[in-house]
Amino acid sequence: MTTPRNSTTTKSGRTYTWGDESFTSVTTLLGALSKPALVNWAAKMVAEYAVDNGPEILALAKADREGAIRALKGSPWQKRDEAADLGTHVHDQIEARILGQTPAAPPADVAQRVAYFDAFCDDYQPAFEAAEATVYNRAAGYAGTLDSIAVIGGERFIIDVKTTKSGVYPEHALQLAAYAHAEFIGAPDGTEVPLPDIQAGAVLWISPRGYEFHRVRIDQQVFAYFCAIATAWEFQNTVGKSALLGQVEVPA
């Protein structure tokens, strides 16, 4: 997986730097949002791994019980990382296309999704204005890397590409609203470029079977909810760590 420009991964998540300023990643802040579906997904991944590797797991458990437990616990995140690697390769190919570059030939699973991106471009005729741009909001203290900005049918869209199997979720609107309400784009040469007027947000979902282009809300109300989630993340990682003061002593 590639790391976005000016970003660093820490124990608390990803942070961006701009000059001597530090900003928390949009996706890190959204980690404070409860995701019940993720629990069910992780349980399913462990169950599938146990069924598919039953004899090996039993043999390992007899020799190394803790090792077998680690293998089962780690199976969902191995799947997650494989999916993330696929998504990164797809994003790299798409960025190269937008910038007019010719990247190396991708593997078959990546090429399939890139072909669906080409079909999207043929259908919607987007006029791209930016790709993989890092945006910053000083007032709210966050930053993130948007996939692209494009004009489609007279509207300027901020677009996020998803390559997951499961589709589009409401939290994707939160992510795009954060990008759309950023204050500036941090250019590679160190200059601050004002974010253009964004009229719409959309998720381009590219699955193994085709593509779907979903409009999502990026209005002030959705952005306010993103800010509330960011406040919850801040509590979890700052005040929350010192909120428990110990047992109350029995009065003398």
Side-chain angles (χ1 to χ4, degrees):
M1 295 175 61
T2 58
T3 301
R5 185 184 296 112
N6 298 335
S7 71
T8 304
T9 300
T10 68
K11 291 182 179 179
S12 299
R14 177 173 290 166
T15 60
Y16 286 82
T17 56
W18 184 252
D20 58 356
E21 301 173 272
S22 180
F23 302 80
T24 306
S25 162
V26 167
T27 52
T28 294
L29 294 172
L30 288 174
L33 187 66
S34 176
K35 298 181 178 66
L38 183 61
V39 177
N40 296 331
W41 171 83
K44 180 182 178 183
M45 291 298 100
V46 171
E48 288 182 354
Y49 184 83
V51 170
D52 295 341
N53 301 275
E56 293 85 353
I57 290 295
L58 288 174
L60 178 60
K62 291 179 181 179
D64 181 5
R65 182 175 183 274
E66 293 302 316
I69 292 173
R70 284 195 300 272
L72 289 167
K73 287 174 59 179
S75 58
W77 318 125
Q78 181 180 353
K79 288 285 187 181
R80 177 201 60 187
D81 292 344
E82 290 172 358
D85 286 341
L86 172 66
T88 296
H89 291 312
V90 172
H91 277 77
D92 289 345
Q93 290 283 327
I94 290 175
E95 180 186 10
R97 273 168 162 68
I98 293 173
L99 298 178
Q101 301 170 350
T102 305
D109 55 346
V110 175
Q112 181 186 46
R113 286 173 169 80
V114 173
Y116 292 139
F117 172 77
D118 292 339
F120 157 75
C121 291
D122 289 340
D123 292 340
Y124 286 87
Q125 294 294 307
F128 289 102
E129 297 181 340
E132 297 297 325
T134 302
V135 296
Y136 299 82
N137 187 313
R138 283 195 174 95
Y142 69 80
T145 302
L146 57 83
D147 289 340
S148 65
I149 297 174
V151 176
I152 300 174
E155 280 187 292
R156 180 175 286 107
F157 281 81
I158 186 167
I159 301 172
D160 199 59
V161 176
K162 300 297 184 187
T163 57
T164 59
K165 293 182 179 180
S166 49
V168 181
Y169 291 97
E171 53 261 37
H172 295 156
L174 294 165
Q175 181 181 359
L176 282 171
Y179 296 158
H181 288 267
E183 296 172 347
F184 65 91
I185 297 172
D189 62 2
T191 59
E192 298 181 5
V193 180
L195 194 70
D197 181 35
I198 304 295
Q199 285 111 28
V203 175
L204 175 59
W205 177 41
I206 305 177
S207 75
R209 298 170 299 281
Y211 82 85
E212 296 178 13
F213 194 48
H214 293 263
R215 186 186 291 266
V216 300
R217 288 177 57 184
I218 57 171
D219 53 70
Q220 190 64 43
Q221 184 182 34
V222 176
F223 178 60
Y225 280 115
F226 166 77
C227 292
I229 294 168
T231 301
W233 181 90
E234 183 178 1
F235 169 79
Q236 291 173 351
N237 289 272
T238 55
V239 177
K241 294 181 178 181
S242 61
L244 302 180
L245 302 178
Q247 179 155 319
V248 177
E249 294 183 4
V250 177

